[in-house]
Every structure is written in structure tokens, then in C-alpha cells.
Amino acid sequence: MRIGVVGAGIIGLAVARRLAELRPDATVTVLEKESDIATHQTGRNSGVVHAGIYYAPGSLKARLCRLGVAQLHAYCTERKIPYEECGKLVVAVDESEVGRLRELERRATENGVPGMRWLEGDELREIEPHAAGVAGLHSPTTAITDYRAVARAFRDDLETGGGSVVLGAPVTAIVVGADTVRVRAGEEEREFDRLVVCAGVYSDRLARLAGDEDEPVIVPFRGEYHRLAPGREDLVRGLLYPVPDPAYPFLGVHFTRRVSGGVDVGPNAVLALAREGYRRRDVRIGDLAATLRSPGFRRLARRHWRMGARELRGSLWRGAFAAEARRYVPTLRTEDLVPGPAGIRAQALDPDGSLVDDFRIRHLGQVTVVRNAPSPGATSSMAIADHIADEVLRAS
Ligand SMILES: Cc1cc2nc3c(=O)[nH]c(=O)nc-3n(C[C@H](O)[C@H](O)[C@H](O)COP(=O)(O)OP(=O)(O)OC[C@H]3O[C@@H](n4cnc5c(N)ncnc54)[C@H](O)[C@@H]3O)c2cc1C
């Protein structure tokens, strides 16, 4: 059996590794357009191993995150990849947020997240001495890791198992035949019996090439980070998060400790004017036109333009970003923040303008397409791989 995988991010590599492990007789080939692996979402995320607090019980996210954490923890330990259970504190800054924090506690319990504790007053300050807030939910097992290192280890496993990663191989055409799939990758044509598409921010375009529906489209949201300036990293001990607003689950200033040292503050979420535009000035007319043409995006923009404007203000003006961050750490000064890197979220959007919340994976005969795998996609990568590999091999 010849299996092709498009995309050498953490999900494509995890899927390829798992397929090679389950079917040692198969030839597994990963096609990646860049000259290295993990250059997009996988190499530009927050590095958090989410414990499964937020996700709707019963959803794919809830299930695969819990399974994924256990697998990733064991894998990092075995492969000596940094994995630090620094813990996460989610804080309600005022009484209006306490109800939503209680709902998170309920979800976390239902999802089986271990060790959760409800904290008030000074108990909060014992965990994070500089944090503000009237109540907090503490997850001691939430961890941080290095997802690039995890992706490299997945590639090593794949290659040891006889599979390969072809770099500099952009997939530009997919033709699905009766039993096989022909793929144009760079200058070459390749034929596979099964194809799995894990193309991140381009997953909708590749899905369409493979004959899938147009929707959901991907809307790229850039997440810009600041960093705590050297000498101020002790403002936060572990991970300090806001209570998410159900309408904007990925918004709100987070403080995230890194395994490499230092603390990131962010990311925010502003519309990216190019799908891989990591700088504010990066614009690709084709990408922008596709976003603006999408009915889902227009509905989203009409409904949420105020929030969009607020995020943009924080992006353009460090003082506004710092003011938001000060709600959680009142002693933070604007000069404590220095510019950090940026990542782009591949967020799928349904035509009615709602953000696709759960992981979305479509099986279309010989082709499987990951159409939505936002956070906690990296945390869940090994469980997503099991889920996809079972389905791909069952269909064979
Ligand atoms: C700012 C930010 C913070 C995040 N924080 C966290 C976190 O703390 N914890 C967590 O669990 N998750 C987090 N996530 C989510 C996580 O990073 C993603 O779920 C995960 O990386 C998705 O992996 P992927 O392999 O699907 O995508 P990617 O890593 O984006 O990989 C897709 C790959 O496909 C390739 N590709 C695309 N088109 C083609 C083509 N035509 N031909 C060949 N190759 C192609 C790309 O070059 C790329 O290498 C975060 C994401 C972002 C953006």
C-alpha cells in the first residue's frame, strides 16, 4: 500500500508515523512544500500541553485532547523531550466572570482532567503571587513542551520505520481515480492508494483540489506575542489564563512560560492579510480577496467588528495590549513587554459565520482531509493520528 500525507506539521508527521507503525508493509511518504518540517503552526505556537479544561464534553477535542496528553507525556519522557508540568491558573478578574469559571470547572470534571482545584483570595496568590482575580481554577498537570522537537522525533520514527519526508514538494494537483490518487508535488507526479491531507492554513484549498466541499473556508488569524522583558519573567510562575469568552474562545491575554526560558504574553488575534503573513505588512491579494469573498467571513465581520477593532488596537499599540494584560497582573508596566514572534491560526469558518469549534476530519473514499485542527491540535496530535489511521486502514 502506498500512502501519501500532505504537510509536515505535527499532525501530518504524527499520522504518517502511526500509519508506518501499523502497516510496516506500506510505503508512507510525507510531501511538504517548505524546506524544513514544522515551519508553520507547529513551530509557532504557545507550546502548551492543554489538559482538556475548555472543550465541550463528548466533542472530538475533549476526547482526543485527554488521550493525546497521556500519549504525549509518555512520548516526551521516553524521548527525553522537555515536558514541564508548570500548571495553569485560569482567573476570573471580577464577579461577572465567576459563573463562566464554574462552567469551566464543570467541563474539566466531566472531561476527566485530574487535580483541578477551585481557589479564592490568598490561595490564588500562593500559586501566582502577582495575579489579580476574585477566583481561580488551577490545573496542576497542564504542561509546556517543545513541539518542534516533538515533530522532529516523529519524523525520525517515520524514517526509522521506512517512511520518508520529501521537502520542497508543494502539492498543486490531486486527481482521485477509481482506486488510486494521483498527486502533483513540485515537478513530480506521484500515485498513492491513500492520501491524508494535513495542510494547516491551506487545508481548505487542498480539500477542494481533492473534490471536497468549498466550506468551511480557512480564515487566517495572526496571533502576535509579546515577551516579558529580561528581569521581569518572575511576574508569572507557570501559565496564567483568562476565562475564555464562549463567543471568542481563543481571545484574551495569556501568560505562557516557555521550556526554553522566558514568558510570552499573548497571542492576540488579528486577521492576517496573507495566509502565511507573519508580519503586519505581509499582504497577498489572492488570500485577502478569498477571505473577503467568503460569506462566512462577511457574517463574522458584521457580527464581531467591535472585537476585531479592539484586537487591532492592541496589535498596533503596545500600551493597549499592556492595559489588557494588567487586568491579570496589575504590577505589569508597558515597558515590561518586548515584541515577540507571531503565529497564524488555521481557523475554519462555517458559511453562517461561526468559527468551527471542534476538530473536523472528512473521509472521502481514498482521501482523508483534516479541515479544522486548531488548538489543542498539537497536544492531541498522537490521538488525532490514531483516530485518522484507524479510519484510513479500515477503508482499505
Ligand atoms: C498562535 C498559535 C498558538 C497555538 N498554541 C497551541 C498550544 O499552546 N497548544 C496546542 O496544543 N496547540 C496550539 N496551537 C495549535 C497547533 O499549533 C495546531 O493545532 C497544530 O500545529 C496543527 O498542526 P498541523 O500539522 O495541522 O499544521 P501546520 O503545523 O500548520 O502544518 C501544515 C503543513 O502543511 C504544509 N502545506 C500546506 N500546503 C501544502 C501544500 N500544498 N503542499 C505541501 N505542503 C503543504 C505547510 O507548509 C505546513 O508545514 C496554536 C496555534 C497557533 C497558530
Side-chain angles (χ1 to χ4, degrees):
M1 183 189 262
R2 299 156 301 172
I3 306 176
V5 175
V6 183
I10 199 164
I11 295 183
L13 291 166
V15 168
R17 166 188 179 274
R18 185 67 181 139
L19 284 165
E21 189 179 55
L22 290 174
R23 284 290 298 262
D25 57 320
T27 322
V28 183
T29 310
V30 179
L31 303 168
E32 168 56 52
K33 67 179 166 59
E34 303 293 347
S35 57
D36 199 358
I37 65 166
T39 51
H40 292 293
Q41 294 179 95
T42 301
R44 294 169 167 273
N45 63 32
S46 300
V48 176
V49 183
H50 292 286
I53 303 172
Y54 306 106
Y55 319 117
S59 63
L60 267 185
K61 269 189 182 176
R63 212 155 47 79
L64 299 182
C65 178
R66 285 302 312 146
L67 290 170
V69 172
Q71 290 170 294
L72 192 63
H73 192 177
Y75 187 76
C76 289
T77 308
E78 184 196 320
R79 301 299 294 262
K80 301 193 169 36
I81 295 169
Y83 187 102
E84 207 182 304
E85 286 189 340
C86 59
K88 177 198 281 190
L89 183 67
V90 185
V91 290
V93 284
D94 56 38
E95 291 298 331
S96 71
E97 293 184 349
V98 171
R100 275 193 276 130
L101 192 62
R102 280 287 181 201
E103 168 60 14
L104 278 194
E105 185 187 32
R106 190 193 64 74
R107 283 191 172 194
T109 308
E110 217 172 308
N111 292 341
V113 180
M116 299 298 301
R117 274 205 313 145
W118 182 270
L119 307 175
E120 285 179 8
D122 285 345
E123 293 170 330
L124 228 106
R125 254 63 70 187
E126 274 169 32
I127 304 286
E128 288 291 353
H130 298 279
V134 295
L137 192 58
H138 185 233
S139 159
T141 62
T142 300
I144 49 177
T145 190
D146 175 351
Y147 285 118
R148 268 184 210 262
V150 175
R152 281 197 296 270
F154 286 171
R155 177 188 53 191
D156 293 347
D157 292 348
L158 171 68
E159 290 175 347
T160 306
S164 59
V165 178
V166 184
L167 298 171
V171 171
T172 50
I174 299 174
V175 179
V176 184
D179 299 311
T180 60
V181 186
R182 290 165 67 80
V183 170
R184 167 156 282 278
E187 297 303 307
E188 286 187 47
E189 288 256 344
R190 292 167 183 266
E191 195 170 64
F192 299 106
D193 301 296
R194 296 281 176 274
L195 185 72
V196 185
V197 177
C198 310
V201 84
Y202 286 112
S203 56
D204 56 344
R205 292 196 188 165
L206 286 165
R208 248 173 277 146
L209 283 183
D212 195 13
E213 295 159 0
D214 288 355
E215 312 283 351
V217 294
I218 292 288
V219 176
F221 283 105
R222 194 174 52 249
E224 299 157 332
Y225 294 90
H226 285 80
R227 288 217 154 123
L228 289 183
R232 297 292 281 168
E233 291 107 336
D234 58 355
L235 283 176
V236 178
R237 283 184 179 163
L239 306 170
L240 180 61
Y241 273 50
V243 181
D245 181 335
Y248 314 103
F250 56 64
L251 291 191
V253 171
H254 310 32
F255 292 80
T256 307
R257 191 157 279 285
R258 292 288 191 164
V259 282
S260 53
V263 175
D264 281 354
V265 190
N268 57 7
V270 288
L271 181 69
L273 306 183
R275 289 205 180 196
E276 290 170 351
Y278 295 103
R279 297 164 308 181
R280 232 175 271 143
R281 61 174 184 274
D282 293 334
V283 183
R284 278 186 73 168
I285 297 299
D287 287 351
L288 183 58
T291 301
L292 298 179
R293 258 199 320 269
S294 129
F297 177 74
R298 286 203 234 141
R299 290 198 178 97
L300 176 85
R302 261 201 305 277
R303 236 176 275 151
H304 300 301
W305 66 270
R306 270 196 193 85
M307 183 56 83
R310 205 178 96 184
E311 288 295 296
L312 190 61
R313 186 166 167 266
S315 163
L316 296 173
W317 182 34
R318 190 166 50 134
F321 191 92
E324 185 62 25
R326 252 194 304 278
R327 295 180 69 217
Y328 304 92
V329 178
T331 49
L332 180 102
R333 301 161 308 184
T334 303
E335 58 272 27
D336 293 334
L337 295 177
V338 294
I344 296 200
R345 301 176 184 84
Q347 175 62 54
L349 193 66
D350 271 326
D352 66 359
S354 55
L355 305 175
V356 177
D357 187 39
D358 208 358
F359 296 144
R360 198 173 283 181
I361 298 159
R362 300 247 309 145
H363 300 283
L364 317 142
Q366 303 97 297
V367 183
T368 299
V369 191
V370 176
R371 294 211 59 159
N372 192 51
S375 186
T379 304
S380 317
S381 52
M382 297 179 85
I384 293 176
D386 287 350
H387 180 79
I388 291 178
D390 284 351
E391 200 62 41
V392 168
L393 297 180
R394 186 169 322 131
S396 64

